[in-house]
Amino acid sequence: MTEKERTLAIIKPDAVKRQLAGTILSRIERAGFRIIGLKLVRLSKERAENFYAVHRSKPFFASLTEFMSSGPIIVMALQGKRVIDDYRSFIGSTDPAQAGYGTIRRDYGTSIERNVVHGSDSPENGLREVRFFFEEHECLGDE
Ligand code: UDP
Ligand code: MG
């Protein structure tokens, strides 16, 4: 288990509203990521502020948390060796205009804020962010 990481993947409100959830989910599966938990949720402004607490002092914090609580999101727990880096490469840089060709953010993102997906940035944050949304019994085991 030690080498297995977890990442929290989110399909953000812009993508759910634009009915891109199925397409993005399908691309995640086709890329070979293992989904061990999945649900649709709606964040309150307060819960979005809590999730992005590390960005509290940033100029984009108010707008980001308004956006993230503006509609339903799909949260997923992905598990695997090196899933943190692999998934971040798969989604691309924060700013869709800077993201590599063929990445999710490049293909569907419309601004640095509305960049359609989230991915955890370290193994520690991956575990913490998965726990933010999932009880252990809501996730698949190691079978
Ligand atoms: N964000 C923004 N403006 C910025 C930087 C980030 O609106 O200048 C938003 C964007 O939605 C991003 C989220 O805040 O995904 C979290 O920012 P972070 O720097 O952690 O980027 P990420 O890890 O999501 O690539
Ligand atoms: Mg981040």
Side-chain angles (χ1 to χ4, degrees):
M1 179 63 208
T2 48
E3 75 200 0
K4 271 189 207 147
E5 299 172 350
R6 284 182 177 185
T7 198
L8 183 81
I10 304 181
I11 302 178
K12 295 185 178 183
D14 54 337
V16 175
K17 276 199 189 91
R18 290 162 62 206
Q19 297 187 289
L20 290 169
T23 302
I24 293 172
L25 255 167
S26 163
R27 283 179 61 163
I28 289 171
E29 281 192 330
R30 272 193 280 133
F33 293 106
R34 180 161 183 262
I35 301 169
I36 63 161
L38 185 151
K39 59 175 87 165
L40 181 137
V41 299
R42 171 98 189 238
L43 289 176
S44 64
K45 182 77 156 44
E46 293 67 33
R47 208 159 141 73
E49 287 168 358
N50 213 314
F51 181 75
Y52 281 115
V54 52
H55 293 310
R56 199 171 285 278
S57 62
K58 307 271 174 64
F60 59 81
F61 182 72
S63 178
L64 171 64
T65 52
E66 194 64 48
F67 163 56
M68 288 302 290
S69 57
S70 68
I73 59 174
I74 291 170
V75 292
M76 269 168 281
L78 309 181
Q79 181 173 289
K81 207 174 162 183
R82 287 192 297 274
V83 70
I84 296 282
D85 284 351
D86 287 353
Y87 181 74
R88 280 183 77 89
S89 303
F90 169 76
I91 64 176
S93 310
T94 309
D95 182 356
Q98 307 294 323
Y101 288 105
T103 63
I104 299 290
R105 283 169 163 173
R106 180 79 184 210
D107 287 350
Y108 308 112
T110 53
S111 74
I112 192 163
E113 178 181 84
R114 292 167 191 251
N115 59 4
V116 298
V117 283
H118 167 85
S120 310
D121 65 4
S122 69
E124 296 69 34
N125 285 335
L127 291 175
R128 190 179 59 75
E129 291 179 359
V130 166
R131 262 188 260 115
F132 189 91
F133 288 102
F134 294 94
E135 303 284 345
E136 198 52 40
H137 73 264
E138 296 176 302
C139 294
L140 295 179
D142 278 339
E143 74 280 354

